[in-house]
Amino acid sequence: MLARRLIERKRDGGRIEPGEWRALASAYATGHVPDYQMSALLMACFLRGMDRIETAALTEAMLMSGDRLDLSGIAKPRVDKHSTGGVGDKVSLVLAPLIASLGVAVPMMSGRSLGHTGGTLDKLESIPGFRTKLTLAEATEQIQRIGCALIGQSPEIAPADRRMYSLRDATATVESIPLIASSIMSKKLAEDLSGLVLDLKRGSGAFLPELDRVLELAEVMIKLGKDHGCPCVALVTAMDRPLGRACGNALEVEEAIAALKGEGPPDLMSVTYALGAEMLVLAGAAPDLDHARREMEKSIGTGRAAECFQKIIEAQGGNPGVVDDPAVLPQAAECEIFTARRRGFIARVEPKAVGRAIVEMGGGRSRVEDVVDPAVGFVITARPGDWVEEGEPLATVFAHDRAGVGIGRQALRAAIFIADEAEPPLPLVSHRVTISGVELYETD
Amino acid sequence: MLARRLIERKRDGGRIEPGEWRALASAYATGHVPDYQMSALLMACFLRGMDRIETAALTEAMLMSGDRLDLSGIAKPRVDKHSTGGVGDKVSLVLAPLIASLGVAVPMMSGRSLGHTGGTLDKLESIPGFRTKLTLAEATEQIQRIGCALIGQSPEIAPADRRMYSLRDATATVESIPLIASSIMSKKLAEDLSGLVLDLKRGSGAFLPELDRVLELAEVMIKLGKDHGCPCVALVTAMDRPLGRACGNALEVEEAIAALKGEGPPDLMSVTYALGAEMLVLAGAAPDLDHARREMEKSIGTGRAAECFQKIIEAQGGNPGVVDDPAVLPQAAECEIFTARRRGFIARVEPKAVGRAIVEMGGGRSRVEDVVDPAVGFVITARPGDWVEEGEPLATVFAHDRAGVGIGRQALRAAIFIADEAEPPLPLVSHRVTISGVELYETD
C-alpha cells in the first residue's frame, strides 16, 4: 500500500520524503515493490518533476540499496569519468589506462550499449577473453595492483538503480534530469572516489540534445557529488557527429589502441585530453590542466599508457596481444567503401542514424537480452566542414553479410549530408561546469 | 518496441491512433505487453489526458479484446444499470429483479468491492451458495428463462480491461475520466444492451467528488454508448452520505430484500425508482417516467419483484429461503449500539470513513486477493439533518470480534458529525444527462 500512496502523491505534484524513498528503493531492490508500480511512479516523476531534495534522497536511497567498493586500503587518489553516452565515444578505453599510467587509481564501472549509443562493456568484450564481470573483491585487488579495473555494474552495487535502469528504458522514462542524475550518481558514489569528471554530451546524438538541459543536469550531478564528498567537474562536449572515426565495438577498440599509441584522430584526442586533465587535477596528480596535459602526452609518447592497457587486458583475461596486433579482434566478413554522391561540404554526420544502423546490423541492442556482433560498424573519415568531390571515399561499412552492408550503406546515405555550404559544428568542448558555476571552455 | 514508442508519444502529449490502441489492447490481453509498460502508459494517459477519439478507440479496443454476450435470441429489450460505486449502494440488488419482473431482460455484470466502495458480487455471495461465476452460455440461458442474470465479468469479456482495472488500482491511475469511461463502457457494451442507465455518484464518498467532473464523465460515456448504438441516460446521485441504512455485504442484502418487499428506506427507494424508471423507458416498457414508477411500485406491492429475486437466487445456486428469512445470511458474532455523544443536528455521515472501516473490519478488500467477511458492517439510522439527543442510538456496529467492534465504534465517531446547525445534504438525484444535454432532475 505504501507504493500506491507514494505514486498518488507524486501524480498530484507532491513530494516523496527521504525516508519514503529509502523504504521504496529497498523494497524495490528486494522485489517487494513490483515493476508495474515503479514504472507508474517513474512516469509520474518524469511528468511532475522532482526537486533537489527528492533527487538527493533517491540517489542516496539507491546507493544504500546495495554495497560499495571499499578502496580505503589504496593509498592513491581515485578518480573516474562518466559520459552520458554517444556514438563513437571510446574515450573511456583510452582514458582509463592513460590516467592509471600516471599513478591515479581508476575504478571504472561502465554500462552496455542500449538504444543508439554504444557501451564500454560491449567494446571491451570484443577483445577475445576479456571479462567485465569481476567480483568487488577481485576489482579491489586489481585496482590495488595495477591501478585500474574496467568492470560492469555488479549486482551488489545500487541494485535498485540496476533494476530501475532497464525498466526506464522499456517505459520511456529515460530523459528526465533528476532520474538520469540520481541513476548515474548512485553508481559512481558507490565507487568510493576522490573525484569524478562528467562528460555531458549535447547535440542531436545525445540523450539530452539541448544545452540548457545539459547544464541543468551538470548542476544537479555536481551538487549530488559535493553532498557526498566527491568533487565533480563536468565538461559539455559535442555529440552532433560521432566522436573519432570508428563506430562499432571492435572497430572502436582498435581506434582506442591507436589513440594510446599517439595515433588517435584529433577530435578523440582533444576530448580525451580535456577530460583526463580534469581527472588528474581533481586527483591532485597535476598542479593545473596544462601540466596534466603534458603528463598525458608524455605517457602516450613513452608507451606507458598503452602498456597499462595491456596489463588491464591481461588481468581481466583478455588477449593482451591486441595492443600490438589489432587483427586478433573479430573481423567483419564484408566491407564496402562508401563514397560521396556529389561534391560539396560535409554539412552533417548524424550520430543517431549511425548508431541505429549499428543496432540494425547486429552491433548493438534494442533489448537488454540481445547478443552483440562485435565486428560490425563504420569507419567514417568524412568530418563536418570537409570539402569532398563526387566519388571521394567518406566511410567504410563493416558488416556480417551483404544484407548488413546494404543497411549500412542506406544509413550512411541518410546520415551524411553534403551541401553547398558548410554548417559550423558544435565546439568539441564548449563548457566547463564546477560547483562554482558554468564557464566557457577555453580551447588552445 | 511498439509499446515503448506509444508510451513516449503519450508522455509528450501526443495522440495514440485507433489502430495502435487495438494492437496494444490485444497484445496486453494476451500478455505480450507487460504490466510495467501498461502502467507507465496509464500514468501518462492520466497526466496528459486523452481526447474523445482516443477514448472511443480505447473503449473499442478493450471491447474487441474479448467476447460479447449474444442475446439476439431473446425477444425482450435488454437494459442494465451501472453505478460508479459508493457506500451502502445496494441499488443493483433491488433494481435487477424489479426490472426483470416487469418483462425487461437485465444481463447485469457487476464488480467486486475495492477500496472504500462495496461490490455487488461480494454482496450476492453473502447469500449461502450463490454463484456469480456463470459461463456466457449459462448466463444467456438464464436471461432467456427468467429475465436476469447477476454475474461477474467473465474472463472472456474485455480481458484487456480486466487486467488493466486491477493494475490501475495498484498504480493510482483510477481517477481519470477517459480511463473510467472506457473501462465501464467496454464491459457494458459487451452485454449486447438495448439501453444503459448510469448512476454517477458525486460527493465526498464518490471516486469523482466534483459535479463538473461527474458531468464530464456522463457526457463521455453517453457519447460512447451512442456511437455503439446503445442509448444511455445518466443520473447524478448523492454519495456525500451512505445510501440507505445498511453498509456491509450481508446487511445490504437484507436491506435490499426489505426494499423488494416495500420496506426499504426512503432514500434507497427514491434512487432505485429514479434509475428504474429510466431503464423501463429506455427499454420501451413504459411510455414515461411516471408510468414506469407506478409499474415498479405495483411489482413490489404484489410481491412479483421479490419473487423474481428468489428465482434468480435459486437459478444461481443460492438459498432462496433468504427472501423469506434473512436469518439464513451470515450473522456477525458481535454487535454494539452506537449512540450520540452530544445533542445537535447530524451534520454529516462520511461515507469514506464508513467504507474504510468495513475494509478494516474484514468486510472489504485492500487487495484483490483479500477474502471478505460478509457479516460485518453497520446499520446507520442517523441521517444528515436529523436532530438527536445525547445518548440517542445512531447506528449499530456488526463485527467478527470485540476488536472489530472497537474499529467500527472509532470509525463512526470520525464519520458522524453532530453540530449545532444542520448542513444541507446533496439532493439525492440532482441531474439527468442524456445525449441532448444536462437538465436538473425534478423531484416529486
Side-chain angles (χ1 to χ4, degrees):
Chain A
M1 291 301 277
L2 168 79
R4 200 200 166 289
R5 234 177 44 230
L6 299 184
I7 299 168
E8 188 173 71
R9 198 186 314 148
K10 178 48 76 180
R11 179 195 80 188
D12 296 340
R15 179 203 273 175
I16 297 178
E17 300 300 331
E20 294 170 330
W21 278 118
R22 267 199 303 279
L24 195 68
S26 133
Y28 183 60
T30 52
H32 290 89
V33 165
D35 280 337
Y36 59 78
Q37 287 190 315
M38 187 52 81
S39 64
L41 179 63
L42 289 169
M43 183 57 79
C45 288
F46 189 105
L47 289 173
R48 289 295 198 175
M50 294 168 72
D51 64 20
R52 295 298 165 92
I53 294 172
E54 279 192 289
T55 307
L58 173 57
T59 307
E60 181 76 16
M62 294 201 294
L63 175 62
M64 303 294 286
S65 76
D67 289 346
R68 312 183 190 202
L69 277 175
D70 177 4
L71 302 179
S72 55
I74 293 173
K76 297 175 182 177
R78 305 165 302 273
V79 294
D80 193 7
K81 181 237 27 165
H82 179 87
S83 152
T84 50
V87 176
D89 179 7
K90 70 284 292 174
V91 171
S92 290
L93 302 181
V94 188
L95 209 44
L98 177 56
I99 300 304
S101 76
L102 292 167
V104 174
V106 184
M108 189 179 271
M109 233 165 13
S110 306
R112 299 204 170 270
S113 81
L114 205 56
H116 69 279
T117 63
T120 298
L121 296 184
D122 294 312
K123 294 172 197 175
L124 287 168
E125 287 174 359
S126 72
I127 300 170
F130 199 100
R131 281 199 309 134
T132 57
K133 274 187 199 162
L134 303 190
T135 64
L136 293 189
E138 284 176 316
T140 307
E141 185 278 327
Q142 182 176 320
I143 295 162
Q144 187 121 34
R145 191 159 47 83
I146 59 174
C148 180
L150 300 174
I151 57 171
Q153 184 183 356
S154 81
E156 302 97 322
I157 299 286
D161 167 71
R162 207 178 141 84
R163 234 185 116 182
M164 220 183 278
Y165 187 80
S166 49
L167 189 64
R168 281 170 56 208
D169 188 67
T171 56
T173 48
V174 170
E175 303 88 343
S176 150
I177 286 174
L179 294 179
I180 294 173
S182 54
S183 171
I184 295 172
M185 294 305 286
S186 69
K187 282 175 287 204
K188 291 295 159 186
L189 293 172
E191 290 178 356
D192 195 10
L193 298 174
S194 22
L196 174 64
V197 175
L198 301 165
D199 177 6
L200 304 184
K201 306 290 190 189
R202 66 156 162 159
S204 59
F207 272 118
L208 296 177
E210 296 86 18
L211 179 63
D212 55 343
R213 298 201 72 205
V214 173
L215 292 177
E216 194 188 331
L217 177 64
E219 199 196 320
V220 174
M221 289 171 74
I222 289 168
K223 183 69 173 49
L224 287 172
K226 182 178 192 302
D227 291 347
H228 284 85
C230 174
C232 297
V233 173
L235 298 183
V236 179
T237 70
M239 190 35 69
D240 57 340
R241 72 276 194 182
L243 183 63
R245 298 182 192 118
C247 303
N249 296 298
L251 296 165
E252 292 190 42
V253 170
E254 189 173 339
E255 186 168 87
I257 291 170
L260 283 165
K261 291 175 172 174
E263 293 148 18
D267 61 341
L268 174 61
M269 296 320 295
S270 288
V271 172
T272 302
Y273 284 142
L275 294 164
E278 301 288 353
M279 289 170 82
L280 290 171
V281 170
L282 269 182
D288 58 47
L289 298 175
D290 284 340
H291 271 86
R293 193 181 190 108
R294 283 197 293 279
E295 288 296 318
M296 289 187 282
E297 285 168 348
K298 219 188 294 172
S299 177
I300 286 180
T302 58
R304 266 163 59 206
E307 198 181 298
C308 183
F309 194 34
Q310 212 157 16
K311 272 190 209 156
I312 297 167
I313 295 170
E314 194 167 15
Q316 296 191 220
N319 181 348
V322 71
V323 175
D324 297 319
D325 178 15
V328 309
L329 290 167
Q331 304 290 320
E334 299 282 347
C335 68
E336 187 179 278
I337 306 282
F338 180 84
T339 56
R341 305 173 84 190
R342 54 161 287 192
R343 69 199 307 247
F345 286 104
I346 302 291
R348 272 178 290 148
V349 181
E350 276 298 341
K352 263 196 185 161
V354 173
R356 282 185 186 141
I358 295 175
V359 176
E360 232 189 307
M361 291 157 73
R365 284 188 180 77
S366 51
R367 292 151 176 259
V368 184
E369 58 275 20
D370 288 350
V371 174
V372 162
D373 179 345
V376 307
F378 303 94
V379 170
I380 305 172
T381 45
R383 313 302 305 164
D386 288 355
W387 172 265
V388 294
E389 294 294 335
E390 190 187 329
E392 191 177 322
L394 304 179
T396 311
V397 180
F398 296 85
H400 182 66
D401 49 27
R402 293 308 303 167
V405 170
I407 295 170
R409 190 192 308 129
Q410 197 100 10
L412 290 182
R413 262 186 216 150
I416 303 179
F417 294 80
I418 302 178
D420 293 334
E421 288 184 48
E423 288 178 27
L426 291 173
L428 264 179
V429 184
S430 59
H431 297 75
R432 179 171 185 270
V433 193
T434 65
I435 194 76
S436 327
V438 184
E439 54 195 83
L440 287 178
Y441 193 78
E442 289 182 35
T443 44
D444 34 35
Chain B
M1 290 301 276
L2 168 79
R4 200 203 166 287
R5 234 177 43 232
L6 300 183
I7 298 168
E8 188 173 71
R9 197 185 315 147
K10 178 47 77 180
R11 178 196 80 188
D12 296 340
R15 180 204 270 177
I16 297 177
E17 299 302 331
E20 295 170 329
W21 278 118
R22 268 199 302 280
L24 193 70
S26 132
Y28 183 60
T30 52
H32 290 90
V33 164
D35 281 337
Y36 59 79
Q37 286 190 316
M38 187 51 82
S39 63
L41 179 64
L42 289 169
M43 183 56 81
C45 289
F46 190 106
L47 289 173
R48 288 293 197 177
M50 295 167 72
D51 65 20
R52 294 298 164 91
I53 294 173
E54 279 193 289
T55 307
L58 173 58
T59 307
E60 182 76 15
M62 294 202 294
L63 175 62
M64 303 294 286
S65 75
D67 289 346
R68 311 181 191 206
L69 277 174
D70 176 6
L71 302 179
S72 55
I74 295 172
K76 297 174 182 178
R78 305 165 302 275
V79 293
D80 192 7
K81 181 232 39 160
H82 179 86
S83 152
T84 51
V87 176
D89 178 8
K90 69 285 291 174
V91 170
S92 289
L93 303 180
V94 188
L95 209 45
L98 176 57
I99 300 303
S101 76
L102 293 166
V104 174
V106 184
M108 189 179 271
M109 233 167 8
S110 305
R112 300 205 169 270
S113 81
L114 204 56
H116 68 278
T117 63
T120 298
L121 295 184
D122 293 312
K123 294 171 196 175
L124 286 168
E125 287 175 359
S126 72
I127 301 171
F130 199 100
R131 279 198 313 133
T132 57
K133 275 187 198 163
L134 303 190
T135 65
L136 293 189
E138 283 176 315
T140 307
E141 184 278 327
Q142 182 176 318
I143 295 162
Q144 187 121 35
R145 190 159 47 83
I146 58 174
C148 180
L150 300 173
I151 58 172
Q153 183 184 355
S154 83
E156 302 97 323
I157 299 285
D161 167 71
R162 206 178 141 84
R163 233 187 117 184
M164 219 183 282
Y165 188 81
S166 49
L167 190 63
R168 281 171 56 210
D169 187 68
T171 57
T173 49
V174 170
E175 303 89 342
S176 149
I177 286 173
L179 294 178
I180 294 173
S182 54
S183 171
I184 295 171
M185 294 306 286
S186 69
K187 283 174 286 201
K188 291 294 160 186
L189 293 171
E191 290 178 358
D192 194 11
L193 298 175
S194 22
L196 174 64
V197 175
L198 300 166
D199 177 5
L200 304 184
K201 305 292 190 189
R202 67 158 162 156
S204 59
F207 272 119
L208 296 176
E210 297 85 19
L211 178 63
D212 55 344
R213 300 202 70 203
V214 173
L215 292 176
E216 193 188 331
L217 177 64
E219 200 196 320
V220 173
M221 290 171 75
I222 289 168
K223 182 69 174 47
L224 286 172
K226 183 178 191 303
D227 292 346
H228 284 85
C230 174
C232 297
V233 173
L235 298 183
V236 179
T237 70
M239 190 37 69
D240 56 340
R241 70 277 193 184
L243 183 62
R245 296 181 194 121
C247 303
N249 295 298
L251 297 165
E252 292 190 41
V253 170
E254 187 171 342
E255 187 168 88
I257 291 170
L260 283 166
K261 293 176 170 174
E263 293 150 17
D267 61 342
L268 173 62
M269 296 320 293
S270 288
V271 172
T272 302
Y273 284 142
L275 293 164
E278 302 288 354
M279 289 171 83
L280 290 170
V281 170
L282 269 181
D288 59 43
L289 298 175
D290 283 342
H291 270 86
R293 192 181 190 106
R294 283 197 294 278
E295 287 298 316
M296 288 188 282
E297 286 168 347
K298 221 189 290 170
S299 178
I300 286 180
T302 59
R304 266 163 60 207
E307 201 180 297
C308 184
F309 194 34
Q310 210 156 20
K311 274 192 210 153
I312 297 167
I313 295 170
E314 195 166 14
Q316 296 191 222
N319 180 349
V322 71
V323 174
D324 297 319
D325 179 14
V328 309
L329 289 166
Q331 304 290 319
E334 298 283 346
C335 67
E336 185 179 281
I337 307 282
F338 180 85
T339 57
R341 302 174 87 191
R342 54 162 286 190
R343 69 201 307 247
F345 285 104
I346 302 292
R348 271 178 291 150
V349 181
E350 275 300 339
K352 262 196 185 163
V354 172
R356 282 185 185 143
I358 295 174
V359 175
E360 232 187 306
M361 289 156 72
R365 283 187 181 78
S366 50
R367 291 152 176 260
V368 184
E369 60 273 21
D370 288 349
V371 174
V372 163
D373 180 345
V376 306
F378 303 95
V379 171
I380 304 173
T381 45
R383 314 300 308 163
D386 288 355
W387 172 264
V388 294
E389 294 292 336
E390 190 188 328
E392 192 177 320
L394 304 180
T396 311
V397 180
F398 295 85
H400 181 67
D401 49 27
R402 293 310 301 167
V405 170
I407 295 169
R409 190 194 306 131
Q410 197 100 10
L412 290 182
R413 261 186 217 152
I416 304 178
F417 293 78
I418 303 177
D420 293 335
E421 289 183 48
E423 288 177 26
L426 292 172
L428 263 179
V429 185
S430 60
H431 297 76
R432 179 173 185 269
V433 192
T434 65
I435 195 73
S436 328
V438 184
E439 53 195 82
L440 286 178
Y441 193 80
E442 290 181 32
T443 44
D444 36 30

